C-alpha cells in the first residue's frame, strides 16, 4: 500500500473516531492533563473548607496521586525528569497526608519524605508551592513576598512598577496571594498535618542575597507610597478593597477566577482572609466551578487547570476541513456554530494596553468570556473562514477577530499570548525562577509564527506590508544560533521552529532565505533513526534543545508540517518521517501521552489528549493535499 493510501485509511479511522466523540453542542471535550498539582490542591481545598460530602472525590484523587509516584518516592512533572521534582513531591506528600487516607508511616511516604529532605526541604520549593505552604501554616510567609505591599494596587497603571506590569494570568494568582501575605494569615484545621519539620533552612547568606536583591523594589514602593496624602492605615484598607474588587470583577460565570483552577484556589483563601465565611456563595460557587474541571480517563480522575474545549474544538474543526470534511458537513457546522457562540463580547485585561479595539478574540476554555488569547483566536478564525465567505454573521465575527489579532501585534513586531507589550523587564530583578516567562508575556516564536501562518494563508494582507516586515525582523532577531526557535507554549524548540517556518512560508519567504534554510537544516539534524522527532521537557528548563531519544506523534507532526511547507517533492527523510508518524498512530503507547504542551517552565507541562489527533491530521493533510496530485 503506498503512502497516500495509508494516509487515506488513517483519515477514515481518525475522522470516524472524532465525529463520534463530538458533543451535542458541537464542541470536543478532550482532557487537559497536567501534573498532580491541581489534584493535590483540590484535596487541600476540600479539607480547608471542611467539606464533608466529597469523600469519593478525595479517595479518587488520592489514588491518582499515588499512581503517579516514582519508585524513589518522588513525583515528576514530566516522565524523564531526572530523579524527581521537589515541589511536586511536596504537594503530593502534603495532600496525601491531609486527605486522611494515607499514613505518614507508609513506606512510600517515608521515601517521599526522604526525597524532600535530600533536595533542600520546603524552603527550596518553587514559589507557587511556597504560597500554598504558607497558606496552610507549614512555613512562614517568605520575605520575598512580604516585601511587596498590598498598596501596589494603588499605584497608577502608568507607573514603572505596578501590578499591571505582570501579565494577567500571573496577576490573577499574585493579587489573592498578596492579600493573604499582607494579612499574614494561614488556615489550619484539626486535620491539617504538620510537615514544618521538613522545612530545612535557607542559608543566612542566601537569605541575605534575596533580601538585598529586593531592597531596590522595597525602596521604590516606599517612595511611591509616600506621595499619597492619606495615612498608612487608610491606604492599606483602600488597597485591600481594590484587590478584593479586582478579584470579584474577574470571576467567571462558573464561579472560577479567570477560568483557572489554580487562580481560583488562591482566590478562595483570599476571600477567607477578607472575612468571607466558608459557606459564602462566592466560595461555594468557586468550589463548584473548580470541581466541574474534573476529567475522567480510563479508570482515573484528575482535575484540569483550565479545560481546553475551545482550543481543541477550533483546531480539530480546521484539521478536519483540511482532511477533506466539507464545511457544510453537519458536524463541522455544529462545531463552527459553537465557536461562533464563544467569541468574546467583553473587554478584559488585554484592553489595558490596547483600549481602542472592540473585543473579538476567543479564549481557551468553554467558560472563558474575557481572557482571550492570540492562539485560540487564530485557530477559531481558521476554522470559520469557509463560512465567513458566505454567511454574514460569520463574516462579521471573522472581521472582528482579525481586527483584534492585528491590534495585538507588539511594538517589537512579534505577538505574545494574552496581552500587548507585556515585557517589562524592570521587574526582572525579582528573584523568581523563569520570571521572564512566568511574570511577563513577551513576543514568542510560536505565537508570532502561527499568527503569520493565519494572516498569510487566510487573509489578503499584502506580503510587503509593514505588519509582516516587522514580524519577519522579530523572528530573524530571535532565531537561535543553530537555526531553531524557542517555543513558549509547546515543547519546545521543535514547536517554535515549526511555527516560525510555516509562518514565514505563509507570507512568501523563500526556501533559500537563510532563516528558512538554517531552520530546516536543524530540523533534519535532530530527526531520530525511526524517522520521527521527540524532544524532552528538559529543553524548556535548560533553554536548549534536549532530545527525548524517542519520537512522539505531535512533535513528529510539527516537524513534518514544517518540512512539507518547504519541500516541493517528497524527500527520503520526509517519507521516512511520514511512515514514522503512521506507525506512532498505530502504537498508541506512552509516546502519545508524553506532555508536549508547556505551562510553567520547570513546573507544569501538559498532555493534551487531543494532540494525537490534531497535529497528525494536519500534517498528513498537508502532505496529501500537496503531493497527491
Amino acid at each position: 500500500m503506498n503512502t497516500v493510501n495509508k494516509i487515506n485509511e488513517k483519515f477514515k479511522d481518525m475522522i470516524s473516531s472524532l465525529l463520534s466523540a463530538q458533543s451535542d453542542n458541537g464542541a470536543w471535550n478532550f482532557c487537559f492533563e497536567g501534573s498532580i498539582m491541581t489534584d493535590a490542591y483540590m484535596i487541600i481545598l476540600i479539607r480547608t473548607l471542611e467539606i464533608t460530602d466529597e469523600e469519593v472525590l478525595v479517595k479518587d484523587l488520592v489514588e491518582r496521586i499515588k499512581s503517579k509516584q516514582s519508585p524513589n518516592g518522588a513525583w515528576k512533572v514530566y516522565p524523564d525528569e531526572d530523579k524527581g521534582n521537589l515541589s511536586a513531591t511536596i504537594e503530593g506528600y502534603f495532600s496525601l497526608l491531609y486527605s486522611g487516607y494515607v499514613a505518614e508511616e507508609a513506606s512510600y511516604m517515608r521515601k517521599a519524605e526522604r526525597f524532600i529532605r535530600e533536595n533542600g526541604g520546603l524552603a527550596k520549593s518553587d514559589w507557587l508551592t511556597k504560597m500554598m505552604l504558607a497558606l496552610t501554616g507549614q512555613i512562614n510567609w517568605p520575605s520575598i513576598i512580604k516585601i511587596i505591599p498590598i498598596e501596589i494596587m494603588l499605584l497608577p497603571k502608568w507607573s514603572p512598577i505596578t501590578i499591571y506590569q505582570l501579565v494577567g494570568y500571573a496577576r490573577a494568582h499574585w493579587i489573592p496571594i498578596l492579600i493573604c501575605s499582607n494579612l499574614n494569615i494561614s488556615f489550619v484545621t484539626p486535620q491539617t498535618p504538620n510537615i514544618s519539620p521538613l522545612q530545612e533552612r535557607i542559608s543566612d547568606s542566601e537569605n541575605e542575597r534575596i533580601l538585598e536583591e529586593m531592597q531596590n523594589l522595597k525602596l521604590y514602593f516606599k517612595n511611591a507610597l509616600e506621595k499619597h496624602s492619606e495615612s498608612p492605615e487608610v491606604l492599606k484598607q483602600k488597597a485591600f478593597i481594590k484587590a478584593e474588587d479586582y478579584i470579584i470583577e474577574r470571576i467567571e460565570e462558573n464561579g472560577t477566577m479567570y477560568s483557572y483552577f489554580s487562580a481560583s484556589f488562591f482566590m478562595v483563601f483570599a476571600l477567607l482572609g477578607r472575612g468571607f465565611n466558608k459557606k459564602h456563595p462566592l466560595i461555594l460557587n468557586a468550589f463548584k466551578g473548580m470541581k466541574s474541571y474534573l476529567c475522567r480517563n480510563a479508570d482515573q480522575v484528575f482535575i484540569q487547570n483550565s479545560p481546553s474545549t475551545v482550543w481543541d474544538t477550533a483546531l480539530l474543526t480546521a484539521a478536519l476541513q483540511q482532511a477533506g470534511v466539507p464545511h457544510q458537513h453537519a458536524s463541522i457546522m455544529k462545531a463552527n456554530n459553537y465557536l461562533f457562540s464563544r467569541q468574546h463580547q467583553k473587554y478584559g485585561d488585554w484592553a489595558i494596553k490596547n483600549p481602542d479595539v472592540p473585543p473579538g478574540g476567543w479564549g481557551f476554555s468553554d467558560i472563558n468570556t474575557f481572557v482571550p488569547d492570540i492562539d485560540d483566536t487564530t485557530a477559531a478564525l481558521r476554522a470559520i473562514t469557509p463560512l465567513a465567505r458566505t454567511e454574514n454573521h460569520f463574516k462579521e465575527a471573522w472581521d472582528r477577530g482579525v481586527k483584534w489579532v492585528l491590534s495585538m501585534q507588539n511594538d517589537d513586531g512579534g505577538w505574545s499570548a494574552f496581552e500587548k507589550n507585556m515585557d517589562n523587564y524592570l521587574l526582572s530583578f525579582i528573584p523568581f525562577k523563569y520570571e521572564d516567562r512566568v511574570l511577563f508575556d513577551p513576543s514568542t516564536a510560536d505565537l508570532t509564527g502561527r499568527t503569520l501562518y493565519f494572516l498569510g494563508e487566510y487573509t489578503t494582507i499584502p506580503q510587503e506590508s509593514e505588519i509582516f516586515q516587522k514580524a519577519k525582523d522579530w523572528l530573524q532577531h530571535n532565531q537561535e544560533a543553530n537555526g531553531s526557535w524557542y517555543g513558549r507554549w509547546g515543547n519546545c524548540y521543535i514547536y517554535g521552529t515549526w511555527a516560525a517556518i510555516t509562518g514565514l512560508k505563509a507570507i512568501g519567504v523563500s526556501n533559500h532565505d537563510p532563516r528558512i534554510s538554517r531552520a530546516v537544516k536543524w530540523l533534519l539534524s535532530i530527526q531520530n533513526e525511526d524517522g520521527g522527532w521527540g524532544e524532552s521537557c528538559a529543553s524548556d528548563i535548560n533553554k536548549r534543545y534536549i532530545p527525548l531519544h524517542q519520537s512522539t506523534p505531535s512533535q513528529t507532526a510539527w516537524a513534518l508540517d514544517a518540512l512539507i511547507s518547504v519541500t516541493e517533492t517528497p524527500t527520503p527523510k520526509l517519507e521516512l518521517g511520514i511512515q514514522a508518524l503512521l506507525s506512532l498512530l498505530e502504537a498508541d503507547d506512552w509516546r502519545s501521552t508524553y506532555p508536549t504542551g508547556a505551562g510553567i517552565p520547570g513546573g507544569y507541562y501538559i498532555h493534551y489528549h487531543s494532540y494525537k489527533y490534531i497535529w497528525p491530521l494536519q500534517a498528513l493533510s498537508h502532505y496529501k493535499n500537496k503531493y497527491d496530485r
Side-chain angles (χ1 to χ4, degrees), residues 473-480 484-486:
D473 290 346
W474 186 90
L475 284 170
Q476 179 170 331
H477 181 70
N478 287 274
Q479 189 172 21
E480 302 288 329
S484 68
W485 279 273
Y486 168 75

Side-chain angles (χ1 to χ4, degrees), residues 297-479:
N297 180 45
D299 58 345
Q300 286 195 337
V301 301
F302 54 87
I303 303 292
Q304 304 170 96
N305 195 52
S306 185
S308 53
T309 314
V310 174
W311 176 240
D312 291 336
T313 302
L315 291 172
L316 284 166
T317 306
L320 284 166
Q321 290 177 87
Q322 288 172 329
V325 182
H327 72 268
Q328 303 95 336
H329 190 284
S331 291
I332 301 298
M333 291 295 295
K334 276 204 310 181
N336 277 324
N337 282 322
Y338 168 81
L339 291 172
F340 177 82
S341 74
R342 292 306 186 270
Q343 187 176 28
H344 288 190
Q345 310 297 326
K346 301 176 185 177
Y347 286 90
D349 285 357
W350 60 268
I352 293 170
K353 292 193 174 182
N354 190 22
D356 300 324
V357 178
W362 276 262
F364 184 70
S365 62
D366 180 75
I367 196 62
N368 184 333
T369 62
F370 56 81
V371 189
D373 65 87
I374 301 297
D375 247 353
D376 279 283
T377 302
T378 58
L381 288 169
R382 286 199 296 120
I384 69 170
T385 293
L387 283 173
R389 295 178 182 134
T390 58
E391 304 287 337
N392 284 338
H393 62 295
F394 276 100
K395 178 67 165 62
E396 290 171 4
W398 191 90
D399 286 343
R400 280 199 301 122
V402 172
K403 184 177 181 180
W404 185 80
V405 167
L406 292 174
S407 77
M408 293 293 287
Q409 185 175 23
N410 291 327
D411 291 346
D412 64 14
W415 276 267
S416 45
F418 294 96
E419 297 178 36
K420 185 175 182 177
N421 296 331
M422 293 295 291
D423 56 355
N424 183 359
Y425 292 100
L426 285 172
L427 286 177
S428 62
F429 55 77
I430 299 176
F432 278 91
K433 282 203 300 185
Y434 318 115
E435 76 284 331
D436 58 330
R437 290 174 279 167
V438 173
L439 302 183
F440 312 119
D441 191 21
S443 297
T444 66
D446 44 327
L447 269 299
T448 302
R450 270 199 304 280
T451 304
L452 289 180
Y453 178 79
F454 165 71
L455 295 174
E457 292 283 347
Y458 292 82
T459 75
T460 57
I461 296 172
Q463 291 182 353
E464 64 275 10
S465 70
E466 184 182 3
I467 293 166
F468 291 162
Q469 188 57 54
K470 287 173 62 180
K472 285 191 288 186
D473 290 346
W474 186 90
L475 284 170
Q476 179 170 331
H477 181 70
N478 287 274
Q479 189 172 21

